[in-house]
């Protein structure tokens, strides 16, 4: 899971260019700042001489090397989120850029699907059964029943969200990067941006609390570093938490296969307000 404990970001003019700098580390703030300064040095040297394709390739390689500690692969530069709570090594709750809490998990598979259904073979089958007059929920349920008729070893929980669906999958073939998971995501036409983010962050993600703009709140203050996040966002978080009371992010529609009995699913349902049975999802 690529969620660094310590990070810092800064905008600085280097060689006449406005550059967004990032530094992060799992060791210390000092190490994060050292990475930022090394990025600044590389960019300063780059803009000090005429730009060529060869030099640009060299710069990209050097910057990428800084962003791939211990061979873990690329980190997403804009995904530097304050950690709200570390549940365990496999599950971390962060506060995203617009202020909502997000569960990042390596052992619980979440998938987001838009309401607008696609034109793949699975959806064509579903539409053929119900016709054009079927509701999105009827189509989604039919797709899930069809999927589970073929994949009896998989269990899932289907939730309605404000703009679509959330699915939690479990089963012997459900693991990060597993070909079977990619097949599931492709068949259900999971949001490609969500799939890309999960791949880059090496975890699945699920928003737990409402989007602030749906609560008519101002933008969440953006801290310059992980160490100042709590203080910078404190007032906004208090207002946000008050506005979130009694609000739901999703509601459970149906379960498939064997019941999922684990603490992460229970926490997800509690924090997303599933039991509120709200008609308005945020």
């Amino acid at each position: 899971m690529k969620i660094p404990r310590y990070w810092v970001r800064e905008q600085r003019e280097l060689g006449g260019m406005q550059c967004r700098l990032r530094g992060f580390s799992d060791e210390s703030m000092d190490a994060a700042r050292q990475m930022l300064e090394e990025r600044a040095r590389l960019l300063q040297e780059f803009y000090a001489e005429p730009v060529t394709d060869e030099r640009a390739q060299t710069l990209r390689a050097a910057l990428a090397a800084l962003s791939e500690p211990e061979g873990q692969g690329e980190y997403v530069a804009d995904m530097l989120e304050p950690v709200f709570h570390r549940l365990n090594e496999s599950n971390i709750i962060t506060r995203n850029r617009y202020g909502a809490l997000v569960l990042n998990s390596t052992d619980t598979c979440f998938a987001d699907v838009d309401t607008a259904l696609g034109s793949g073979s699975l959806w064509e089958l579903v539409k053929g059964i119900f016709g054009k007059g079927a509701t999105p929920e009827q189509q989604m349920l039919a797709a899930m029943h069809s999927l589970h008729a073929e994949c009896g070893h998989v269990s899932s929980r289907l939730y309605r969200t404000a703009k679509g669906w959330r699915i939690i999958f479990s089963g012997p073939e459900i693991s990060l990067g597993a070909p079977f998971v990619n097949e599931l995501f492709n068949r259900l036409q999971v949001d490609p941006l969500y799939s890309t983010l999960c791949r880059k962050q090496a975890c699945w993600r699920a928003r737990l609390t409402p989007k602030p703009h749906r609560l008519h709140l101002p933008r969440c203050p953006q801290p310059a570093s992980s160490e100042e996040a709590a203080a910078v966002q404190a007032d906004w978080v208090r207002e946000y938490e008050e506005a979130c009371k009694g609000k739901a992010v999703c509601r459970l529609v149906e379960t498939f296969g064997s019941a999922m009995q684990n603490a992460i699913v229970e926490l997800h349902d509690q924090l997303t307000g599933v039991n509120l049975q709200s008609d308005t999802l945020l």
Side-chain angles (χ1 to χ4, degrees):
M1 187 187 306
K2 299 173 183 176
I3 299 179
R5 291 176 180 269
Y6 308 97
W7 50 264
V8 60
R9 53 192 172 201
E10 179 183 331
Q11 183 158 315
R12 192 181 299 181
E13 183 175 323
L14 299 169
M17 302 291 291
Q18 289 294 322
C19 300
R20 292 194 305 166
L21 301 173
R22 302 288 190 273
F24 50 84
S25 171
D26 281 327
E27 299 175 1
S28 67
M29 278 301 303
D30 285 343
R33 290 192 178 94
Q34 287 173 10
M35 177 188 285
L36 182 145
E37 292 301 333
E38 180 62 14
R39 284 174 176 269
R41 183 189 67 79
L42 289 169
L43 288 166
Q44 184 69 51
E45 291 180 355
F46 175 74
Y47 289 121
E49 299 179 21
V51 175
T52 65
D53 289 342
E54 182 178 357
R55 293 188 67 243
Q57 289 181 349
T58 300
L59 174 66
R60 281 194 291 270
L63 292 174
L66 285 175
S67 300
E68 299 174 4
E70 301 177 1
Q72 294 181 44
E74 178 187 5
Y75 271 59
V76 182
D78 288 334
M79 290 295 297
L80 300 178
E81 299 175 342
V83 173
F84 176 78
H85 186 49
R86 290 181 178 269
L87 302 169
N88 52 45
E89 291 184 359
S90 300
N91 296 277
I92 299 174
I93 298 176
T94 57
R95 191 174 299 281
N96 70 10
R97 61 183 175 81
Y98 53 78
L101 295 181
V102 176
L103 173 62
N104 304 267
S105 179
T106 59
D107 61 13
T108 303
C109 178
F110 296 92
D112 286 342
V113 180
D114 290 336
T115 300
L117 304 183
S119 58
S121 58
L122 178 61
W123 296 120
E124 293 301 329
L125 171 64
V126 169
K127 291 176 182 178
I129 295 173
F130 282 97
K132 294 182 179 180
T135 66
E137 188 158 313
Q138 287 176 322
Q139 293 184 40
M140 189 65 191
L141 282 169
M144 292 296 291
H145 281 291
S146 176
L147 181 68
H148 281 273
E150 297 179 39
C151 308
H153 59 292
V154 175
S155 296
S156 67
R157 294 169 65 85
L158 175 66
Y159 300 82
R160 192 71 163 95
T161 63
K163 297 294 185 180
W165 313 92
R166 173 174 297 168
I167 310 167
I168 304 180
F169 288 109
S170 70
E173 295 183 74
I174 306 297
S175 61
L176 278 170
F180 180 70
V181 173
N182 295 334
E183 179 184 340
L184 282 179
F185 278 29
N186 289 334
R187 290 188 62 176
L188 291 171
Q189 298 193 356
V190 170
D191 182 354
L193 292 177
Y194 172 81
S195 297
T196 298
L197 180 58
C198 289
R199 185 182 70 253
K200 288 186 174 183
Q201 291 296 119
C203 65
W204 292 295
R205 288 169 61 87
R207 179 170 57 83
L208 301 175
T209 56
K211 290 186 175 182
H213 74 83
R214 292 174 180 163
L215 299 170
H216 308 291
L217 293 178
R219 293 176 62 87
C220 179
Q222 297 301 298
S225 69
S226 55
E227 67 179 358
E228 68 175 47
V232 168
Q233 297 180 334
D235 291 341
W236 185 92
V237 167
R238 279 193 290 271
E239 183 180 5
Y240 174 67
E241 290 179 343
E242 185 65 27
C244 286
K245 290 180 179 179
K247 306 298 194 302
V249 169
C250 57
R251 63 173 172 84
L252 182 64
V253 176
E254 190 166 330
T255 61
F256 302 84
S258 59
M260 293 184 197
Q261 301 290 340
N262 70 67
I264 296 303
V265 172
E266 291 176 4
L267 179 68
H268 167 272
D269 287 2
Q270 176 187 348
L271 295 182
T272 56
V274 167
N275 295 329
L276 296 174
Q277 294 296 315
S278 175
D279 292 330
T280 302
L281 302 175
L282 302 172

